[in-house]
Amino acid sequence: MSDYSCDALIIGSGQAGNPLAKALAEAGQTVILVEEAHLGGSCLNYGCVPTKTMLASAERMHQVCTADALGIRLGGVAQVDMPAVVARKDALLEKSRRGLRESLAPKHDNITVLHGQAAFVAPRKVRVQETATQTSEITAKQVFINTGTRAAIPDVPGLADVDYLTTTELLDVQEVPEHLLILGGGYIGLEFGQMFRRFGSRVTIIDTGSQVLEREDDDVCECLQTSLEADGIEFFLDAKARHVSRSAAGQLTITLDTKHGERRLHGTHLLVATGRQPNSDQLNLAVTGIKTDEKGYIQVDSRLQTNVRGVYALGDVHGGPQFTHLSYDDFRVVRDNLLHQGPRRSAKQRPLPYCVFTDPQLGRIGLSETQAKDAGVAYRVAKIPLHILSRAQHTGQHTGFWKVLVGADDRILGAALLGPEAGDIMTILQVAMAGRLRYQQLQNMVIAHPIWAEGLNVVWRDLK
């Protein structure tokens, strides 16, 4: 057994842990970073980087298949080379992992990286199982938990007996599934569903809710579902999986309880995308007294400190919206509060921009219309269909709309944008919100023609 002591112990090499390790090391602290699997956390290894890389391949396939609509005659039948798609993704992953390894150690003399499973033996003492025979014990002045989440597997009879897939495994498939069944109509299920539909799979999405993306406004959900159905995706909503089985010939069968009675669906592959659960259950938190909620998410205050002095939780493991950019902001909150002079920084009440990388893309910032109603906030709605924009007419990308909420003071409260480059347009609105601009300043701004952002001149036309 090896014994270590350090100023800072970081458990988990995610989007908050890695930059924090560098910042603390550059401030002169000795840092030990423990990672059970690959450096980089979920975003790099099985989240944003690999999924958006493969989504780009699916988008290119769609452009090829729909080129006729723009007068391009390609001839022949386009085919997906799935091993090549996966190989491209893997090459980018390896490049990113290599760059991260080199940036942590040995570049930083104050950082030691250990690989293994970490578990607490005291509030600021951790044992790391590096191999079957090698363990290390680390005593630290401060501990930062950044262990993230993993796929939550629902308790469906028979599910454990079939070789279902999570997104991690589906990213490595070497063949296009003939018929992909997806449990879960959230953003993960929709992104993967459209991706594999465009690769050539038949896709069926099953969800217990009455609409996809149940936290979004009804008009957003309806438009997006209609668009995905036009792509050929089949939906079963208000449906609960009652049993899963696989025949000797390899056929999957899911038995559903629906409002129209029992339904049986057959497929070749099954993706489980019903949510996430925190990787806190193997940390032996009981010996520390660290509080968690009923789902296992670590409870923190506005500075991301747990109820145990000197122990922090960053990223998805403390619950709330699970996005890479929020995890990175967790790093900034902790860094500024520990290392920088000035006003205390808070992780509460911060902006929540996010995108769903379907086609049409969804960009969201601030209040939705439903949230404004529920909170009793006075608002007006500026909304236009995408097809009226010049750029939409030029490109043939007509599906979607822009909706912006405006307060009584003419300042922007929030936005939901469905269409090409929606995330980038949403970010322009986020900047306007941060600067407390009134909508008239965007309405009268000189914007280059004909780009998508020109719609910021137009979207207010029917605002009362």
Side-chain angles (χ1 to χ4, degrees), residues 239-251:
K240 182 179 180 180
R242 180 155 53 85
H243 189 266
V244 181
S245 63
R246 188 182 289 277
S247 70
Q251 184 185 59

Side-chain angles (χ1 to χ4, degrees), residues 195-209:
M195 179 198 304
F196 279 92
R197 177 62 190 147
R198 290 183 168 182
F199 285 152
S201 299
R202 179 184 171 192
V203 174
T204 302
I205 296 177
I206 304 153
D207 197 84
T208 57

Side-chain angles (χ1 to χ4, degrees), residues 320-335:
Q322 297 182 7
F323 297 107
T324 294
H325 43 286
L326 289 188
S327 294
Y328 186 78
D329 194 59
D330 282 358
F331 146 67
R332 290 185 292 215
V333 169
V334 172
R335 175 201 62 191

